[in-house]
């Protein structure tokens, strides 16, 4: 081949920065893409090739109820977590930095405590003879112990406690970025505290609420330990059902199909959240 021919042939060059991204791409393929593809393959090949596993999950009322319970618990936990986390995040955003660092450290420390230990602690607190019921009965608030465990109430309390740091962290960053002079200007213009909150503080904090809410909701969809220990059989969630299918029944096909459906729904919700937040930013809504 002549020099002129070699010079005329197109040459392939690595995109700029591709060499630095290659290790990360390999890890993503090995630890995310390959397992997901293996999950999809097992869901359509076991016990025999076809879509019968998906038809069973979507057509059986028992499995449909588990899906409904999963999204119901995740929605309730997310809503309650937002309501509880917002005032805490606002307090951290406006309090002196030294005191805020101490409170922030306590919140972070709760994340480092063993999850199983915290769940068992709530089991002790919420049971019929636990501290909460005995205290309420001692001060005369109730006459009979409240059913705070093995139901949706216990699952919500336990999961909200665990999810709070994941909601507070993005909210604090968003609230600290809001100029306090904006709220002072609203007060000088005659706005009441509620009007300032509804028309200024809340819209400006929506990126943090959306980010933290999505994180809490997605994590709640796949939670296993807390719902299994604090919930009852009528409140079974999808993660617990998948564990029973694979560990007890050895039904890898049905369990893989359930896990893949949960993955698809989660990714769809994430894409929807990105689209809504992106559209709102482009329109100047935030």
């Amino acid at each position: 081949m002549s020099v002129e021919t070699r010079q005329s042939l197109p040459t392939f060059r690595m995109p700029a920065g591709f060499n630095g991204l290659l290790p990360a791409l390999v890890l993503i393929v090995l630890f995310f893409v390959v397992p997901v593809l293996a999950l999809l393959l097992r869901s359509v090949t076991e016990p025999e090739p076809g879509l019968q596993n998906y038809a069973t999950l979507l057509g059986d009322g028992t499995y449909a109820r588990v899906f409904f319970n999963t999204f119901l618990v995740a929605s309730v936990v997310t809503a309650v977590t937002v309501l509880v986390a917002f005032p805490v995040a606002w307090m951290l955003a406006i309090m002196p930095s030294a005191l805020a660092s101490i409170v922030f450290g306590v919140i972070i420390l709760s994340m480092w405590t063993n999850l199983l230990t915290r769940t068992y602690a709530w089991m002790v607190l919420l049971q019929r003879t636990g501290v909460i019921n005995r205290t309420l009965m001692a001060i005369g608030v109730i006459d009979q112990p409240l059913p705070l465990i093995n139901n949706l109430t216990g699952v919500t309390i336990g999961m909200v406690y665990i999810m709070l740091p994941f909601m507070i962290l993005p909210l604090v960053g968003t609230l600290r970025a809001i100029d306090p002079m904006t709220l002072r200007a609203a007060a000088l213009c005659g706005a009441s505290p509620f009007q300032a909150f509804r028309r200024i503080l809340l819209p400006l904090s929506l990126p943090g609420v959306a980010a933290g809410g999505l994180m809490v909701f997605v994590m709640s969809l796949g939670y296993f330990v807390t719902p299994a220990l604090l919930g009852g059989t009528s409140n079974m969630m999808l993660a617990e059902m998948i564990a029973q299918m694979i560990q007890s029944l050895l039904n890898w096909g049905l369990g893989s199909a359930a896990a893949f459906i949960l993955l698809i729904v989660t990714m769809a919700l994430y894409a929807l959240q990105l689209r809504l937040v992106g559209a709102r930013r482009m329109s100047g809504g935030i």
Side-chain angles (χ1 to χ4, degrees):
M1 184 179 292
S2 63
V3 176
E4 293 80 3
T5 303
R6 289 198 301 269
Q7 291 178 347
S8 63
L9 293 175
T11 58
F12 175 78
R13 294 182 179 180
M14 286 285 188
F18 183 81
N19 291 332
L21 294 176
L22 187 58
L25 293 176
V26 171
L27 291 177
I28 291 175
V29 170
L30 289 178
F31 294 104
F32 181 76
V33 177
V34 172
V36 169
L37 291 178
L39 195 71
L40 176 61
L41 184 63
R42 300 195 76 159
S43 69
V44 297
T45 57
E46 296 184 14
E48 59 184 19
L51 300 176
Q52 67 275 359
N53 290 321
Y54 294 93
T56 301
L57 287 172
L58 300 178
D60 192 307
T62 302
Y63 298 130
R65 181 173 179 80
V66 173
F67 276 98
F68 175 77
N69 287 337
T70 301
F71 286 95
L72 175 64
V73 171
S75 300
V76 172
V77 168
T78 302
V80 176
T81 303
V82 172
L83 293 177
V84 176
F86 199 98
V88 177
W90 177 244
M91 179 187 66
L92 288 171
I94 63 175
M95 68 171 42
S97 58
L99 182 58
S101 299
I102 297 175
V103 177
F104 200 77
V106 173
I107 295 174
I108 296 299
L109 185 63
S110 69
M111 298 176 61
W112 296 342
T113 308
N114 183 268
L115 174 62
L116 192 59
T117 302
R118 287 183 286 170
T119 304
Y120 275 121
W122 276 112
M123 291 180 64
V124 174
L125 292 172
L126 296 175
Q127 61 185 340
R128 296 180 64 86
T129 57
V131 176
I132 296 177
N133 271 316
R134 288 197 300 177
T135 302
L136 293 176
M137 293 178 66
I139 62 179
V141 176
I142 57 176
D143 297 327
Q144 299 293 329
L146 296 175
L148 300 177
I149 199 171
N150 296 328
N151 51 31
L152 181 59
T153 302
V155 174
T156 302
I157 294 174
M159 291 184 65
V160 166
Y161 166 74
I162 293 170
M163 296 296 177
L164 270 177
F166 300 99
M167 189 73 229
I168 292 174
L169 292 179
L171 264 179
V172 169
T174 302
L175 293 174
R176 283 179 174 173
I178 299 175
D179 189 355
M181 295 303 297
T182 307
L183 299 176
R184 294 179 184 176
L188 291 175
C189 293
S192 65
F194 177 74
Q195 289 175 328
F197 169 78
R198 182 175 62 87
R199 303 186 64 177
I200 298 176
L201 184 62
L202 184 59
L204 291 176
S205 64
L206 282 182
V209 173
L214 178 66
M215 185 185 306
V216 170
F217 186 80
V218 170
M219 292 177 63
S220 299
L221 287 176
Y223 244 64
F224 170 72
V225 175
T226 304
L229 294 178
L230 297 179
T233 55
S234 60
N235 298 109
M236 178 182 290
M237 294 181 65
L238 191 57
E240 187 178 356
M241 186 186 74
I242 293 173
Q244 289 187 3
M245 287 179 178
I246 294 177
Q247 295 178 356
S248 302
L249 305 178
L250 299 179
N251 193 338
W252 281 89
L254 202 60
S256 299
F260 193 75
I261 290 176
L262 182 60
L263 174 64
I264 293 299
V265 172
T266 302
M267 293 179 65
L269 292 173
Y270 180 63
L272 179 63
Q273 188 261 354
L274 290 179
R275 184 177 182 86
L276 291 177
V277 173
R280 190 174 178 85
R281 286 177 177 172
M282 292 181 63
S283 63
I286 295 180

